[in-house]
Amino acid sequence: MPQQPPIYRVEGLTRVYGEGASAVHALRGVDLELPPGEITVLLGPSGSGKSTLLNILGGLDRPSAGRAWFRGEELTAMSDRALTRYRRDNLGFVFQFYNLMPSLTAEENVELVTEIARNPMDPAEALALVGLDTRKDHFPSQLSGGEQQRVAIARAVAKRPDVLLCDEPTGALDSATGREVLGVLQHLNRSLGSTVMIVTHAAATAEMADRVIRFTDGAIRSVEHNDAPRAAAEIEW
Amino acid sequence: MSTLDRKLSRDLWRMKGQAAAIAVVMALGVMMQVMMAGLVVTLDETRRGYYERYRFAEVFAPVTRAPSHVLHQVAGLPGVARAEGRISGAARIELSDRAVPVAAQALSLPDHAEPALNAIRLQQGRLFDPGAPEEVVLLDTFAAAHGLRPGDALQVVMNGARRSLRITGLARSPEFLYAAAPGEMVPDDARYAVLWMSQTSLSASFDMKGAYSEFLVTLTRGTDPRGVIEALDHLLKPWGGSGAYDREDQFSHRFVSEEINGLRDTAAAIPPVFLGIAAFLLNIVIARMVQAEREEIGLLKAFGYRGSEIGGHYLKLVLAIAVAGALLGALLGILSGRAMVQLYLHFYKFPFLVFRLDPGALALGLVVSVLAAAAGGAVVLRQIFALHPAEAMRPPAPADYRRAGRWAGALKALDQPTRMVLRRFTRTPFRMLGAVVGITFGMGLSVGMLTIHAGFNQAVALSFDVLDRSEATVSFTHAVSQKTLLELARHPGVLRVEGARSVPVVLRNGRRTHRGAITGLPPDPELLRALTPDYIPIALDGPGLVLSTALARKLKAQAGDVLTVEVREGAQPALRLPVTGVSETVLGAPAYMALEALDRALFEPGRISSAALRLDPAQAEAVQVWLRDQPVVAGVSLKSEARDAFERVMNQGTGATRFIMAAVAFTITFGIIYNAARIALAERAHDLASLRVIGFSKGEAAYVLLGELGLVTLLALPCGAFLGWGIAHMLAAAYSSDLYTITVVFRPAAFGFAALVVISGAVLSGLLVKRDVDRADLVAALKTRD
Ligand SMILES: Nc1ncnc2c1ncn2[C@@H]1O[C@H](COP(=O)(O)OP(=O)(O)OP(=O)(O)O)[C@@H](O)[C@H]1O
Ligand SMILES: [Mg+2]
């Protein structure tokens, strides 16, 4: 198999919050290369810097030091305008705290993204993928936490993004729904070749990954390759 | 409709209470602007049209008696476009329903032709028949005040002879847009009349066959009236010309101009204050509103929405509110303008008055609202855009407790909710400051308006109880001997009599001039007095002038200056008189002088032109009846009637705008406070829900919110009191005119009442907001992060 150029490359990425004695080192010099089309799972204890890394890769935050590239273009050198373009054209997000618009219905929350995407799915179709097609007219306040989570995932996959960045997508879900949701991510990865990055505390998720990265204290402890990832439906919780 | 637009409409609906409060505040600012500017345009344009249509003269030249052929000479003067001659004389109307006769002016119109100038507008009935000398056309507002109609008879005394006339028609004219009885400033329809009669008929009464007593002139385009006045004065000198004057000095024109100028000043000074305050509030509120949307903005950015798209979205939100407010304001401005126009019709005898919109004012109102709103939103959007989306999506960084730490010791003594209230002030001082400033403006507006109300009431009391303590003023047909006073004093029921002499003059101080009168007062008067601003009587002696504050201001003169005084009566001497003092006045712009010195300067010793009377109430009626039959009496004006008329003009004329302003001030005040409360609720909804969840009662949760509102209000009250004092001075200057002077008087009640308005606004807002706190769905509040 010919070596593909990496979709993400990261060198010496550092992120420090605050200054002086109270400074928090969320990332301490992370180096990483991710080939395209893989599912990567990021594991690590709470506060180890997983969300911080994801935010920087997603162009939502900037590192204190170090550089990051997306398909050879340096993210860390991009203007805000270029980052916006990058997010709009390439990324799908699932946030740790769902972040739905309270004044929009489930379907409208999905539409918010599909309206500015180049090749989106039908919002109803995306909601069907997460099993919520019957709840499309409900507002976030009328949905359970897990249901809100699933709307957030439908919203992320609906634009058929090149890259899906998911922060604890199954955190609030029971095992059956969790498996279904992961299945959607895997389906997207297999059918469209989307690169998927999943931050999770559920170690079992690693079974479906091509690559597993373990994080502690702002640094990578290990990277494992999984030559035979399992189908999401087969994962034991 | 795009999803963002749907979000927009839902967000608007969600914050409808607050959006409405903002829109209303904005609307009131725009309303004032539209109403005031519209009134100026309406009066100005209507007057211009009226003048043109009825050929109102530009220069007036009264003479004693000039043969009619002089008219050709007048018409031939360079710069004169048209000329007309007429007979003008004083008349007295005797009415069965009034003891006191009514002063009137009789004017002639050509027998067979339309007058070249100063035509009249027949409102009802027909013109007189020149062959029927008893026929007369009457000023319609006077007729209406007494229920007179065409066909009715009228008893009139002219030149000492009683004539029985018949009314054929009712009319008004641009010459009498503003008409007040002689010696008075304030119009009273019931007490002043104009009679139009045929040349033939009137010349018989006044011994004016083949002669005129006044010439009217219009000028060719671009002619300076001063040249024509000079030429006229020269031409008419042999015929007893008492000095030609231009429109600016014509009684009616001058007062209407005063009104329009006053209104223009007020329109320039006051609506911008309201508009400015409204814009400021809008700015603050929108800024805080957008601030509250910070997480959603971060989310939109995370999805790849561009800054321009997000900015456009919020701009739409802001514009929806601002434009709705401005349009509502325009509508209110037109409605209130129309209502005001009806009031003006009572004072200014326009044939019609249709409120006109001043497009400039409307545009200004719209632009200011939209810009203020957009600026408020833009500043915050920029702040939020400066954050990384990851940061914006998180709730704002937890507040810095370090500053609060210093107070921690002191706070320990207080209970937890009180500490939460106080910490808001140390943690978010700028937000609290914004709220304090907002309510300060509200308090300031209320104090200003109420203090001005007190000023208006003070003006009435000062004018009619302090400066002038007479009960009636008798004006004579000509300057009579002081002996007349003795006659008056001897009459039963007359308790005190003081004579006065009023002489028409032109006063000049350098290039500043004033056409008015000097009033000669007896030594140590008790009835009509000149007082210092501290109400100490000013002794008049020697040939010195005491100017009213209004006149001193107009002439820029002070004690020690020497004025040139051109007398426009009798031998018309020109005098140089020093200013010896300045007296407090309310009505008009009088100048006082010792009676004796005045008579001496005129070489007419011992003459008076009017007398102030104090009457025994029981015999007042009888005295009036007796006065009516005295041939030298031109008119009697009763203080009670003059007082009513003055109160009317202040409550229904320009002064009426102050009621609208007060209403607007109170509404704005409420809007400000309500907004402050709503914003506080929006910012703390989450905290309050959390408090309730951990076991605080509804009352305790509400206390955290209302305590903050209460504290903000308390801080704003004293600041607003000071601001209001300043606003009152500004209003007083804007309302004062040649017609009346409004002074600012300190009335604790005004402050008390304003504070009451603010506090009730706070209580009401508190109750409205508390209802929402009580109703808060705890689960929903905690589930979504909004
Ligand atoms: N805005 C911030 N200011 C200060 N410190 C921050 C901020 N955001 C994150 N941190 C700190 O940075 C470190 C890494 O945070 P991050 O959110 O990346 O952790 P995480 O691995 O995603 O944890 P979790 O599994 O709990 O979500 C933590 O110690 C956190 O407290
Ligand atoms: Mg995290």
Side-chain angles (χ1 to χ4, degrees), chain A residues 15-18 22-27 44-55 61 96-97 167-168 199-201 215 217-218, chain B residues 390-391 394 397-398:
Chain A
R15 180 65 165 101
V16 185
Y17 292 107
S22 61
V24 176
H25 291 260
L27 296 178
S46 177
S48 57
K50 308 178 297 287
S51 296
T52 306
L53 177 66
L54 217 61
N55 284 343
D61 198 0
Q96 190 169 358
F97 303 105
D167 202 340
E168 312 231 10
V199 168
T200 182
H201 286 125
F215 242 71
D217 204 12
Chain B
E391 240 174 294
R394 261 192 303 266

Side-chain angles (χ1 to χ4, degrees), chain A residues 55 60-62 84-85 87-88 93 95 99 101-104 108 111-112 115-116 139 141 143 155, chain B residues 2-4 6-7 10-11 296 299-306 309 388-390 393 783-784 786:
Chain A
N55 284 343
L60 299 176
D61 198 0
R62 286 181 190 271
T84 299
R85 209 25 323 131
R87 290 195 298 268
R88 185 179 183 127
F93 280 110
F95 300 105
N99 292 76
M101 293 272 177
S103 56
L104 297 180
E108 288 163 350
E111 276 170 1
L112 196 59
E115 263 172 16
I116 56 167
F139 285 94
S141 59
L143 299 172
R155 186 174 63 182
Chain B
S2 81
T3 313
L4 269 186
R6 234 170 298 160
K7 166 169 153 37
R10 296 220 183 98
D11 286 346
E296 301 201 354
L299 188 62
L300 288 173
K301 280 200 79 178
F303 290 153
Y305 275 92
R306 291 191 203 93
E309 287 166 328
H388 299 304
M393 282 162 64
K783 207 164 177 184
T784 54
D786 190 22

Side-chain angles (χ1 to χ4, degrees), chain B residues 52-65:
Chain B
E52 226 162 76
R53 179 90 199 272
Y54 293 93
R55 304 182 296 280
F56 186 45
E58 285 169 89
V59 174
F60 302 77
V63 292
T64 318
R65 185 178 207 283

Side-chain angles (χ1 to χ4, degrees), chain B residues 499-584:
Chain B
R501 172 95 196 250
S502 179
V503 181
V505 294
V506 175
L507 298 169
R508 294 185 202 280
N509 183 30
R511 290 184 28 238
R512 295 175 172 267
T513 66
H514 172 78
R515 204 183 162 89
I518 295 180
T519 307
L521 296 180
D524 298 325
E526 267 186 27
L527 301 181
L528 186 58
R529 306 183 298 167
L531 301 180
T532 68
D534 304 320
Y535 310 141
I536 299 164
I538 303 176
L540 296 165
D541 53 359
L545 285 175
V546 170
L547 305 182
S548 55
T549 38
L551 185 53
R553 202 178 329 120
K554 184 173 177 188
L555 290 175
K556 281 230 156 71
Q558 52 193 17
D561 290 350
V562 177
L563 304 186
T564 308
V565 179
E566 294 167 18
V567 177
R568 297 295 191 184
E569 196 184 277
Q572 305 201 17
L575 313 170
R576 303 265 305 155
L577 298 174
V579 177
T580 55
V582 174
S583 78
E584 186 72 9

